Amino acid sequence: QVQLVESGGGLVQPGGSLRLSCVAAGSHVSIYALGWYRQAPGEQRELVATITVGGGTTYADSVKGRFTISRDNAKHTVVLQMNSLEPGDTAVYYCHAGHPYSDRINYWGQGTQVTVSS
């Protein structure tokens, strides 16, 4: 079992920045790929960014150049730095842990709201 706890959401104006953090705890958490997904009202949950234990990253096209994902393996944390935020980034953001050898083993945080509005 892996537990994920997010923090850092909130309300920001267009063009602003927010930093989301997620702390992972549990069995063998250090081997998991960590990442962020988001879900806007009426939409499906979508990938935002992921990072492997070795530091390999994947980003959604819509956030490339604006968002940066990083992780601290010693502290079992993953951070999403979001810059140049747009109203279209408004969603609930979920921290995710994925087992490196099984697509069926996934864990989710409780979600944190990000609202971009003037």
Side-chain angles (χ1 to χ4, degrees):
Q1 284 283 349
V2 174
Q3 298 80 41
L4 303 169
V5 179
E6 304 111 332
S7 61
L11 172 64
V12 65
Q13 292 187 340
S17 298
L18 278 176
R19 182 181 174 93
L20 303 183
S21 296
C22 175
V23 179
S27 300
H28 307 297
V29 65
S30 61
I31 71 171
Y32 283 75
L34 300 175
W36 295 90
Y37 287 67
R38 67 186 181 188
Q39 187 167 18
E43 301 291 334
Q44 289 189 332
R45 193 172 296 188
E46 63 177 5
L47 169 74
V48 177
T50 63
I51 185 167
T52 66
V53 172
T57 58
T58 302
Y59 292 94
D61 287 343
S62 60
V63 307
K64 285 180 180 177
R66 301 188 298 121
F67 292 10
T68 302
I69 190 169
S70 60
R71 69 186 286 169
D72 184 328
N73 289 331
K75 297 181 179 179
H76 304 312
T77 59
V78 58
V79 171
L80 186 68
Q81 178 66 43
M82 304 185 294
N83 299 327
S84 302
L85 282 160
E86 304 167 353
D89 296 316
T90 296
V92 178
Y93 283 70
Y94 295 90
C95 185
H96 173 262
H99 195 283
Y101 304 119
S102 175
D103 291 341
R104 294 178 297 174
I105 302 176
N106 293 277
Y107 299 96
W108 297 93
Q110 80 282 1
T112 185
Q113 178 69 46
V114 171
T115 302
V116 184
S117 175
S118 56

